[in-house]
Amino acid sequence: MQPVKTDNGRYRKYGYKLGVWYHNGHDYDCNLHEPVFSVAPGVVLYSSRNVNGFGGYDPSLPGGCVIIQHQGHEGGFIGLYGHVDSDLVLNEKVERGERIGRVHQYTSSGLKLPHLHFAISTESWAVVQVSKWGYVDRLEKYGWTDPQKYLSICC
């Protein structure tokens, strides 16, 4: 299952290199306010509409982010859903296919580029908390894995 129904394929993919940083997820090129769905059952670890860097390319622009500890494949995984407006709260349970929010605006150099940043880590929440959530120095250090490949196997 994919977290959104649309991906026009124009945005960054997992592993894209920007200087010394690697993109830890897949950016789904979709419409503003498009519904975002949970890819597997799980429990909300984090939900906020005020996370710096998730509102635009400028790292000081706040936006929404939801992080879910998903159950299933090989003991579970953490799903990070970025650029999302959501009313989910800490420890709330979600089901596979449940609507967990909607894509909000993302701005870069004055351009409006709505998309969902979706990343998967196979590490623990303690490890993911200290990782940067969009670009990291080493993907494997924090258990980030290609979400497209992972979803094709597990969900």
Side-chain angles (χ1 to χ4, degrees), residues 26-151:
H26 179 89
D27 286 347
Y28 290 82
D29 175 10
C30 52
N31 301 314
L32 184 62
H33 306 301
E34 182 158 338
V36 177
F37 302 97
S38 175
V39 298
V43 176
V44 176
L45 297 174
Y46 183 88
S47 181
S48 175
R49 292 184 173 150
N50 197 29
V51 181
N52 284 351
F54 279 100
Y57 191 69
D58 176 344
S60 68
L61 290 175
C65 181
V66 174
I67 299 177
I68 298 173
Q69 175 66 60
H70 288 294
Q71 303 161 359
H73 188 68
E74 297 181 354
F77 59 95
I78 291 177
L80 182 151
Y81 303 77
H83 317 304
V84 174
D85 281 330
S86 178
D87 293 323
L88 294 176
V89 296
L90 183 66
N91 295 321
E92 186 171 345
K93 291 183 179 177
V94 297
E95 296 300 323
R96 181 180 190 269
E98 180 179 337
R99 182 175 175 242
I100 60 171
R102 59 191 176 94
V103 173
H104 74 79
Q105 195 56 267
Y106 178 88
T107 306
S108 178
S109 301
L111 298 174
K112 301 200 180 305
L113 306 167
H115 66 280
L116 171 70
H117 174 85
F118 181 66
I120 288 178
S121 175
T122 55
E123 279 289 347
S124 69
W125 176 226
V127 171
V128 171
Q129 284 183 47
V130 299
S131 167
K132 293 184 183 298
W133 291 352
Y135 288 88
V136 294
D137 56 348
R138 291 189 355 243
L139 293 165
E140 69 285 349
K141 179 177 177 181
Y142 304 103
W144 297 114
T145 189
D146 185 335
Q148 295 286 71
K149 289 180 183 174
Y150 197 88
L151 290 178

Side-chain angles (χ1 to χ4, degrees), residues 12 15-23 57 135-136:
R12 294 190 171 144
Y16 174 85
K17 192 162 194 259
L18 184 64
V20 298
W21 303 101
Y22 295 90
H23 193 243
Y57 191 69
Y135 288 88
V136 294

